[in-house]
Amino acid sequence: MIEVQGVHKMFDLADGGTYALRDVSFDVHEGELVSLIGPSGCGKTTLLYCISGLEPLVEGRILLDGRPVEGPRSGEVGLIFQKAVLLGWRTVMDNVLLPIEVFGRSRASYASRAMELIDFVGLTGFADYLPGKLSGGMQQRAAIVRSLIFEPRVLLMDEPFGALDAQTREHMNMLLLRVWEATRKTIVFVTHDLEEAAFLSDRVVVLTARPGTVREIVDVPLPRPRTIQMRYSEDFVRLARRLRGLLDVVLSPAAIG
Ligand SMILES: Nc1ncnc2c1ncn2[C@@H]1O[C@H](COP(=O)(O)OP(=O)(O)OP(=O)(O)O)[C@@H](O)[C@H]1O
Ligand SMILES: [Mg+2]
């Protein structure tokens, strides 16, 4: 579904160019949930933007469904940011329907789908609330609903639960898994939290420090559907330790050079 092939990305800075990504390659299969982890500044957000078509590449190519990504494709890819980006003066429902308005489609034909999704994420009764009256987790759920309204086949999520407390985060992890099981999107999920990556994913792509390149791609051996209890299983602990080891190597001075 997503093929990232030999991607290089550089930014022009006042004192010359700096590499953000160097020769990054990996695939994400249709319906798969793949996480990206790596040290801060290694290029995870940049990579998501490249996949979404918002950032051009210096070298390499990215294919979506076999076709090269040359710019944003509306409706095919949903992006979710670390902080829920909702418009404060619009209600939850009006925020959810914003993409529909932006792309000039009829609100009426999406309204019942919007309500269904709002119910599904547990926001029943809050459709007419302004975002300022909701908690952080509720706002993020509204943002997730908005990204799903067009039924994108691919969801790119950039640390969507990073700002939430541990308990809400665990709840959101389970919710995401339920959404994913019900809709079978292809998901690329960026996180700082290697346990979150291990719990959610089919595979975890571990990136090195800047400029980011793929250090290892790790298969997650846990069965589906995932349960909270699995976080305490031997397989999980072993996997988390392995990911930690890979990140530690990545962060060691020798590896950074
Ligand atoms: N628009 C830009 N102009 C110049 N440099 C940039 C730009 N965007 C990102 N960079 C640089 O590219 C590198 C990767 O940034 P990116 O935001 O992708 O990292 P990240 O892995 O998402 O980090 P974090 O985990 O902290 O979110 C950083 O060194 C950053 O300074
Ligand atoms: Mg980032």
Side-chain angles (χ1 to χ4, degrees):
M1 183 79 196
I2 304 170
E3 296 165 70
V4 177
Q5 301 174 341
V7 164
H8 293 251
K9 174 73 192 172
M10 228 171 141
F11 287 107
D12 293 323
L13 301 177
D15 54 351
T18 174
Y19 268 103
L21 297 167
R22 197 190 294 273
D23 198 16
V24 173
S25 299
F26 64 93
D27 290 340
V28 183
H29 308 135
E30 179 150 21
E32 203 180 16
L33 201 164
V34 168
S35 287
L36 298 177
I37 60 173
S40 181
C42 76
K44 303 180 293 297
T45 297
T46 304
L47 190 50
L48 282 196
Y49 284 5
C50 291
I51 295 172
S52 75
L54 289 170
E55 281 280 1
L57 309 178
V58 173
E59 212 184 303
R61 59 180 197 161
I62 297 178
L63 305 179
L64 205 70
D65 233 354
R67 286 186 295 135
V69 173
E70 276 151 359
R73 293 189 199 163
S74 71
E76 275 185 73
V77 176
L79 248 180
I80 295 171
F81 303 93
Q82 174 158 9
K83 227 174 149 275
V85 191
L86 299 173
L87 301 179
W89 61 91
R90 295 179 68 123
T91 64
V92 166
M93 179 57 98
D94 287 342
N95 268 288
V96 164
L97 290 175
L98 185 67
I100 304 300
E101 286 172 36
V102 169
F103 291 104
R105 307 213 190 153
S106 119
R107 270 179 67 109
S109 52
Y110 284 90
S112 70
R113 174 69 182 152
M115 202 47 108
E116 245 174 68
L117 286 168
I118 286 171
D119 287 343
F120 187 75
V121 302
L123 288 178
T124 307
F126 291 96
D128 296 329
Y129 277 56
L130 293 173
K133 302 258 184 248
L134 306 180
S135 73
M138 292 163 88
Q139 291 182 30
Q140 195 56 282
R141 279 183 266 167
I144 289 174
V145 169
R146 185 180 54 195
S147 73
L148 291 171
I149 193 74
F150 265 130
E151 302 272 348
R153 297 173 59 202
V154 173
L155 271 186
L156 306 175
M157 308 181 82
D158 191 6
E159 301 199 43
F161 311 138
L164 306 176
D165 64 90
Q167 207 183 339
T168 309
R169 188 172 186 146
E170 196 169 270
H171 182 74
M172 295 297 287
N173 281 176
M174 294 313 292
L175 177 71
L176 174 64
L177 287 178
R178 284 207 345 255
V179 170
W180 178 71
E181 276 150 18
T183 59
R184 280 292 157 171
K185 307 280 175 218
T186 304
I187 298 181
V188 184
F189 188 95
V190 167
T191 177
H192 268 115
D193 182 339
L194 58 89
E195 294 189 352
E196 182 173 61
F199 181 64
L200 295 175
S201 311
D202 297 309
R203 291 184 299 148
V204 180
V205 177
V206 184
L207 297 170
T208 65
R210 192 172 74 93
T213 188
V214 176
R215 175 172 165 84
E216 196 149 325
I217 299 176
V218 178
D219 284 321
V220 177
L222 306 172
R224 303 272 188 192
R226 304 272 158 91
T227 61
I228 294 289
Q229 284 70 32
M230 286 178 194
R231 283 178 177 261
Y232 306 99
S233 69
E234 256 177 55
D235 277 348
F236 185 84
V237 173
R238 199 175 306 120
L239 175 66
R241 194 179 297 136
R242 170 136 182 253
L243 293 173
R244 167 87 54 212
L246 285 167
L247 279 177
D248 282 346
V249 172
V250 162
L251 284 168
S252 75
I256 294 169

